[in-house]
C-alpha cells in the first residue's frame, strides 16, 4: 500500500488560496490520488481525483508532478466554511475488490480565519 | 436521491454487550465499506463488500467484529462483547462501481459509546 504523508494542520485566511501537499513516495503505476473533505460530525466527502498533471473541478484543483511522488490540493479563495479535515488517499482505481487505497490517515486539519 | 443512511445515530452500551450497526447504501451501489473513526483520529478501514464477492475483512481489528451484507444491499456490522476501546464513530460508505477508489458516499455515522 502506498503510504501518504500530509501536514497535520494548516491555517489561512478568508479569500486566500490554500495549497495542501501530500507525499506518496512509493506510489504505484496503477494508483490514483484522491482527496476527501470531512466536516465535524459528518462523513468524508469526495473532492477530486487525479492520475497525473492537473485536474480541476468547481471546488478545487489537483496538481500532480511528473514523478507523481506528491500531489497538491489547491483551494481557491477559501472561506470560513472550508475549515475541515482534508484526506489524501492513494490507491488503484479499479482494484477488483482489494483494500488498496482505503487508508485515510489523520488528514490535514485546515483552519480558516476571518 | 437518498444518500447513505445509518442507524442508530447514537448507541450507548455496557461493556460486554453485543451491538449491531446498520447501513443502507445508495440504491444501485455495488460496493460498501465500513470504517471506524476514534476521537481526533483518521478513518480506519474495517471491511469492504463488492457485489457478490467474498468481502475483504483485512481491516477488522479482532474476531469480535463481523459484518454481513444481505441481498447486496443493507449491511450490518456486529461487535460482540464490546470493550471500551470500541467506542468510536462507525462510518459506512458506498460507491457505484467496483474498485476501491471510486467516489465513496458516506453516511452520517453511528456514534458508539461503551461504558
Amino acid at each position: 500500500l502506498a503510504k501518504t504523508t500530509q501536514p497535520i494542520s494548516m491555517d489561512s485566511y478568508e479569500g486566500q488560496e490554500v495549497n495542501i501537499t501530500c507525499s506518496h513516495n512509493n506510489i504505484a503505476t496503477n494508483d490514483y490520488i484522491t482527496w476527501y473533505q470531512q466536516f465535524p460530525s459528518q462523513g468524508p466527502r469526495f473532492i477530486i481525483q487525479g492520475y497525473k498533471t492537473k485536474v480541476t473541478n468547481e471546488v478545487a484543483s489537483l496538481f500532480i508532478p511528473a514523478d507523481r511522488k506528491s500531489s497538491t490540493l489547491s483551494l481557491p479563495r477559501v472561506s470560513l466554511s472550508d475549515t475541515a479535515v482534508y484526506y489524501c488517499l492513494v490507491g488503484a482505481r479499479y482494484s477488483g475488490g482489494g483494500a488498496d487505497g482505503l487508508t485515510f490517515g489523520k488528514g490535514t486539519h485546515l483552519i480558516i480565519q476571518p | 436521491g437518498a444518500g447513505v443512511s445509518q442507524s442508530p445515530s447514537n448507541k450507548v452500551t455496557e461493556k460486554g454487550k453485543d451491538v449491531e450497526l446498520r447501513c443502507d447504501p445508495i440504491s444501485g451501489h455495488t460496493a460498501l465499506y465500513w470504517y471506524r473513526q476514534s476521537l481526533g483520529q483518521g478513518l480506519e478501514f474495517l471491511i469492504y463488500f463488492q457485489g457478490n464477492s467474498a468481502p475483504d475483512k483485512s481491516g477488522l481489528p479482532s474476531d469480535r467484529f463481523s459484518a454481513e451484507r444481505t441481498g447486496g444491499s443493507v449491511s450490518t456490522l456486529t461487535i460482540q462483547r464490546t470493550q471500551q476501546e470500541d467506542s468510536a464513530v462507525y462510518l459506512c460508505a458506498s460507491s457505484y462501481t467496483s474498485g476501491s477508489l471510486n467516489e465513496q458516499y458516506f453516511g452520517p455515522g453511528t456514534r458508539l459509546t461503551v461504558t
Side-chain angles (χ1 to χ4, degrees):
Chain A
L1 296 179
K3 181 180 177 180
T4 61
T5 303
Q6 305 174 233
I8 293 175
S9 65
M10 293 180 66
D11 292 334
S12 188
Y13 295 90
E14 284 190 291
Q16 298 295 307
E17 177 184 83
V18 172
N19 296 309
I20 306 174
T21 297
C22 179
S23 298
H24 28 79
N25 291 318
N26 60 340
I27 189 169
T29 302
N30 294 333
D31 287 345
Y32 279 71
I33 300 152
T34 308
W35 286 80
Y36 282 80
Q37 174 192 56
Q38 185 179 28
F39 297 115
S41 301
Q42 295 184 24
R45 184 183 70 166
F46 174 93
I47 301 177
I48 197 166
Q49 184 180 76
Y51 183 79
K52 62 180 179 180
T53 62
K54 177 183 175 182
V55 179
T56 297
N57 61 22
E58 65 277 8
V59 176
S61 294
L62 179 60
F63 297 92
I64 306 168
D67 66 5
R68 304 201 325 123
K69 294 183 182 299
S70 67
S71 58
T72 298
L73 175 72
S74 180
L75 305 173
R77 298 180 299 281
V78 294
S79 64
L80 295 176
S81 63
D82 291 315
T83 293
V85 178
Y86 292 82
Y87 297 96
C88 166
L89 282 72
V90 173
R93 192 174 191 180
Y94 294 102
S95 67
D100 284 357
L102 295 178
T103 302
F104 276 75
K106 295 187 178 181
T108 297
H109 189 189
L110 175 64
I111 300 173
I112 305 301
Q113 302 182 41
Chain B
V4 177
S5 61
Q6 294 185 245
S7 60
S9 55
N10 283 283
K11 176 71 176 179
V12 180
T13 189
E14 294 180 352
K15 177 181 174 181
K17 300 285 188 181
D18 297 352
V19 294
E20 286 189 354
L21 312 179
R22 177 186 169 107
C23 172
D24 285 86
I26 293 173
S27 178
H29 280 194
T30 62
L32 186 147
Y33 318 77
W34 282 98
Y35 297 88
R36 176 170 71 174
Q37 187 169 35
S38 301
L39 186 63
Q41 301 297 310
L43 277 73
E44 175 188 4
F45 164 75
L46 297 177
I47 189 169
Y48 163 61
F49 294 89
Q50 171 51 51
N52 296 320
S53 302
D56 183 329
K57 304 179 182 179
S58 59
L60 294 179
S62 77
D63 58 8
R64 296 186 296 105
F65 288 73
S66 63
E68 63 178 21
R69 188 178 184 192
T70 55
S73 181
V74 173
S75 177
T76 302
L77 177 69
T78 301
I79 308 173
Q80 295 179 313
R81 305 181 302 283
T82 53
Q83 305 294 311
Q84 288 186 332
E85 60 263 29
D86 298 334
S87 296
V89 175
Y90 288 81
L91 289 159
C92 173
S94 68
S95 64
Y96 180 65
T97 61
S98 63
S100 58
L101 277 197
N102 282 286
E103 181 175 348
Q104 297 180 46
Y105 295 81
F106 281 81
T110 293
R111 181 175 299 278
L112 174 66
T113 304
V114 181
T115 62

